[in-house]
Amino acid sequence: MTELLLQREDGYAVLTLNRPDARNALSPQLLLDLCDAFRLLQDESDIYSVILTGAGTAFCAGLDLKAMAEDESGLGVYAIHAQHDITAAMTAFDRPIIVGVNGVAATGGFELALMGDILLASSGARFADTHCRVGLAPGWGLSQKLARIIGPSRAREAHFTGNVISAQQAEAWGLVSRVVAPEDLLDACRQVATDIASCVPETVKVYKKMVNEGLQTDLAAGLAMERSVMTDVNQRVSGDVIANRRSGVQQRGKNQ
């Protein structure tokens, strides 16, 4: 069975983790395939975003602990800093990544979801960080990202207890954009991808970079960076082009 499904659609791609019987746990092969897919799609100019989701009733249960237990090197079986470096592969992808969390996103799966730019969740989604229960330390950003998203106290409780965060709680805390019925999740992700594809592609790329770089610095430095980028980007757009796009924006506003 192919552990990762790649489907190209009009303006976007859908990546589906396809190990439903193992709750889409990241085997070494699946992790490698996922890295390779993002590297491949980075070179496809007609792909303006990627949807990442899971097959079955789980998004991703994290690293495959069974594979780790069966190998003497433990975590070393993943060689996560080489071709399996999913953080590098997803960070290098310069267009939006939409994550459709269709079920449990636990530990490494939680980290995988947070590598996305936009998170949508089904009503049955659940998030859990079980690093402290397994005895492993996170390495894909969970200890740094979660506190910045939901606040230090909430993040610490999640980290130190391993307790589950429901989809509804995740929405209330701003961890996900919104919660939808399970049967509507992929359609909701597709609509976001379609909306992104209708925007100016190069501006979307620039905007993603601005937001991500700004999150890594303080407000003053972020504002200075924004002003610098604005000066460079905006001077390359003519008045005629803006006028043509303006009518489209107005019409879209009326339709919405």
Side-chain angles (χ1 to χ4, degrees), residues 3-47:
E3 295 193 351
L4 180 70
L5 304 178
L6 168 56
Q7 182 179 358
R8 294 174 177 82
E9 303 200 10
D10 187 14
Y12 61 92
V14 181
L15 292 173
T16 305
L17 308 176
N18 191 38
R19 299 186 70 212
D21 292 342
R23 299 199 303 166
N24 298 317
L26 295 169
S27 67
Q29 186 60 55
L30 176 53
L31 192 57
L32 178 60
D33 290 347
L34 191 58
C35 291
D36 286 344
F38 275 104
R39 295 182 188 113
L40 177 68
L41 294 170
Q42 172 63 25
D43 294 329
E44 298 188 17
S45 59
D46 58 346
I47 296 297

Side-chain angles (χ1 to χ4, degrees), residues 6-249:
L6 168 56
Q7 182 179 358
R8 294 174 177 82
E9 303 200 10
D10 187 14
Y12 61 92
V14 181
L15 292 173
T16 305
L17 308 176
N18 191 38
R19 299 186 70 212
D21 292 342
R23 299 199 303 166
N24 298 317
L26 295 169
S27 67
Q29 186 60 55
L30 176 53
L31 192 57
L32 178 60
D33 290 347
L34 191 58
C35 291
D36 286 344
F38 275 104
R39 295 182 188 113
L40 177 68
L41 294 170
Q42 172 63 25
D43 294 329
E44 298 188 17
S45 59
D46 58 346
I47 296 297
Y48 304 117
S49 68
V50 167
I51 296 170
L52 176 62
T53 192
T57 58
F59 172 68
C60 178
L63 294 181
D64 191 335
L65 298 181
K66 182 179 179 181
M68 292 171 61
E70 292 174 350
D71 192 283
E72 291 183 358
S73 63
L75 189 59
V77 69
Y78 285 90
I80 60 173
H81 301 299
Q83 289 298 101
H84 293 81
D85 192 342
I86 188 61
T87 302
M90 291 180 68
T91 299
F93 186 74
D94 61 2
R95 281 141 279 174
I97 299 171
I98 305 157
V99 182
V101 186
N102 55 301
V104 64
T107 314
F110 196 166
E111 293 187 287
L112 182 64
L114 292 185
M115 293 180 202
D117 298 297
I118 300 168
L119 276 64
L120 306 184
S122 79
S123 55
R126 296 181 300 157
F127 299 85
D129 177 14
T130 61
H131 280 99
C132 284
R133 294 193 172 274
V134 179
L136 295 173
W140 289 344
L142 191 55
S143 68
Q144 301 304 304
K145 292 180 179 179
L146 191 61
R148 287 167 166 79
I149 297 170
I150 67 174
S153 179
R154 292 166 176 166
R156 290 182 185 118
E157 182 177 350
H159 298 321
F160 303 160
T161 66
N163 289 342
V164 168
I165 301 171
S166 68
Q168 294 71 27
Q169 193 66 74
E171 182 179 33
W173 286 350
L175 180 58
V176 300
S177 293
R178 60 182 178 274
V179 174
V180 300
E183 63 271 18
D184 296 332
L185 178 62
L186 194 53
D187 284 343
C189 291
R190 292 180 191 277
Q191 185 59 60
V192 173
T194 299
D195 290 343
I196 290 171
S198 69
C199 291
V200 181
E202 290 305 318
T203 305
V204 173
K205 290 182 184 180
V206 169
Y207 222 132
K208 172 173 174 171
K209 184 177 181 181
M210 290 169 69
V211 172
N212 289 347
E213 289 186 358
L215 287 171
Q216 297 177 38
T217 187
D218 59 39
L219 179 59
L223 290 172
M225 176 270 295
E226 181 188 76
R227 183 175 293 274
S228 175
V229 173
M230 174 202 69
T231 301
D232 176 60
V233 171
N234 292 359
Q235 68 182 1
R236 292 187 270 116
V237 184
S238 70
D240 289 343
V241 169
I242 293 174
N244 290 334
R245 291 171 179 166
R246 178 172 173 270
S247 61
V249 171

